[in-house]
Amino acid sequence: MALAAKSFKRRVPVGDRVFDILNVTFMICLMIVTVYPFINMLAVSLNDASDSVKGGIYFWPRVLSFDSYQYVFKESTVLHATGISILRTVLGTIISTFCSAMVAYAISRPEFVLRRFVTLAFILTMYFNGGLIPNFLLIRELHLMNSFWVYIIPGILGVFNIIVIRSFIEGLPDGIMESARIDGAGEFTTFLRIVLPLTMPVLATTSLFTAVYHWNSWFDVFLYNSSHVELSTLQYELMKMLQNSNASVSGTDASGAFASSGSSSANFVTPTSIRSTMTIVASLPIIMVYPFLQRYFVKGLTLGGVKG
């Protein structure tokens, strides 16, 4: 009996074994290539700046030092700018995702006679725009200059997100929404209680796109709020800090390091150490958020990109 069961045991072909080995090897190499630059940045940011100039920093710091982080966070404006960035990211993501989902629901309904025209008008904005100067003049005429809402209102609708969410909604069974209408639900009630909960995977995906955009954006701060420090964001403050470190010529030594001002001891930093520290500081919040949205990411993007 045991011999018969053993004879019927499925044998894995040699070709499949070779493919599995090559596939696993390739994925491991891809993971190393993807993760190593971030690990190297972390090691350089935690290493003494003067020692980093010698090279040879790969996976861990050779001389542990937090001078670069002290240099980045010594300014009180950085902490305030971090709060503005968090507020902008949270509000911008929630408002943009909700409004994009409402528009996507509207243009997904076949009874909306102008849905093809509206969809085409949205798509055209992905390829053509007025340019930097007309956008600046528009923001000025809307009286959004020197205000926090200049970060939120211009990007309240993301066309790419609308298209992805619309495709996801079109894949939902029509019977669900018909049942809601039979029960007396209006369009807004159907959207809130039926469509919105069912589209959580794709909304989580588009929310991640929107959050990354708001968190990394700094050019609009430079254009519209550069004279108001209280409205500055973390990315803009880090950009200014990097420019100041690159432009510093006083206090440089032979290795290119310069003394951080306002420190009680001779702490030295370099543009390379500042750049590595800024990369870690700017990337860490998004990296911490991503694991919570990862389970929705592939499902939402796949189902939202192809009509079911």
Side-chain angles (χ1 to χ4, degrees):
M1 196 71 177
L3 292 176
K6 187 176 182 179
S7 62
F8 283 106
K9 185 178 180 180
R10 181 177 178 273
R11 295 182 178 180
V12 179
V14 178
D16 291 348
R17 293 181 181 179
V18 174
F19 174 79
D20 291 339
I21 294 174
L22 294 177
N23 191 32
V24 171
T25 304
F26 173 76
M27 295 304 296
I28 292 176
C29 294
L30 182 63
M31 180 186 67
I32 294 175
V33 170
T34 305
V35 176
Y36 171 73
F38 186 81
I39 297 177
N40 180 254
M41 285 282 185
L42 180 61
V44 172
S45 68
L46 292 174
N47 196 75
D48 181 73
S50 300
D51 181 75
S52 298
V53 178
K54 304 175 184 177
I57 307 298
Y58 300 108
F59 292 98
W60 49 79
R62 185 167 50 227
V63 180
L64 184 63
S65 174
F66 296 96
D67 292 344
S68 298
Y69 288 91
Q70 292 177 1
Y71 177 80
V72 169
F73 287 104
K74 70 177 180 175
E75 299 290 341
S76 59
T77 56
V78 172
L79 296 178
H80 180 76
T82 303
I84 295 295
S85 291
I86 294 175
L87 180 62
R88 169 183 180 169
T89 302
V90 173
L91 281 181
T93 301
I94 293 175
I95 296 175
S96 178
T97 302
F98 183 77
C99 293
S100 297
M102 283 198 299
V103 175
Y105 172 72
I107 63 177
S108 68
R109 306 318 307 149
E111 57 269 20
F112 180 38
V113 295
L114 296 178
R115 66 192 188 104
R116 294 186 181 275
F117 173 78
V118 173
T119 302
L120 179 61
F122 278 132
I123 293 177
L124 288 177
T125 62
M126 298 177 64
Y127 300 98
F128 306 99
N129 62 76
L132 181 61
I133 295 178
N135 285 336
F136 180 85
L137 296 177
L138 175 63
I139 295 299
R140 188 182 65 178
E141 293 300 321
L142 293 175
H143 303 288
L144 292 176
M145 299 280 292
N146 303 322
S147 70
F148 174 80
W149 293 105
V150 73
Y151 304 144
I152 308 297
I153 296 178
I156 202 169
L157 292 179
V159 177
F160 176 78
N161 295 341
I162 290 175
I163 300 302
V164 173
I165 299 172
R166 184 206 64 177
S167 300
F168 190 96
I169 294 175
E170 288 177 345
L172 297 177
D174 292 334
I176 299 178
M177 283 170 274
E178 292 296 335
S179 300
R181 292 191 182 92
I182 292 174
D183 292 338
E187 294 293 346
F188 195 69
T189 303
T190 303
F191 169 74
L192 284 180
R193 298 190 177 183
I194 306 297
V195 176
L196 210 58
L198 293 177
T199 55
M200 280 302 171
V202 72
L203 293 184
T205 303
T206 56
S207 296
L208 182 61
F209 294 155
T210 307
V212 171
Y213 161 75
H214 279 289
W215 181 259
N216 291 333
S217 182
W218 65 268
F219 192 61
D220 50 1
V221 186
F222 171 73
L223 288 177
Y224 311 123
N225 289 330
S226 57
S227 60
H228 290 259
V229 181
E230 67 277 7
L231 295 175
S232 181
T233 61
L234 176 62
Q235 301 292 343
Y236 184 63
E237 291 299 321
L238 294 179
M239 185 274 298
K240 291 195 301 182
M241 198 173 299
L242 180 60
Q243 285 185 341
N244 293 335
S245 66
N246 288 330
S248 295
V249 291
S250 60
T252 57
D253 58 15
S255 64
F258 59 92
S260 58
S261 60
S263 60
S264 58
S265 60
N267 298 331
F268 290 92
V269 292
T270 63
T272 302
S273 64
I274 295 300
R275 185 162 51 247
S276 301
T277 304
M278 289 167 49
T279 302
I280 299 300
V281 172
S283 303
L284 193 59
I286 296 297
I287 293 176
M288 294 175 62
V289 170
Y290 180 77
F292 298 98
L293 302 178
Q294 184 180 11
R295 59 173 179 166
Y296 300 108
F297 193 81
V298 176
K299 180 180 178 182
L301 190 61
T302 303
L303 297 180
V306 183
K307 181 178 178 181

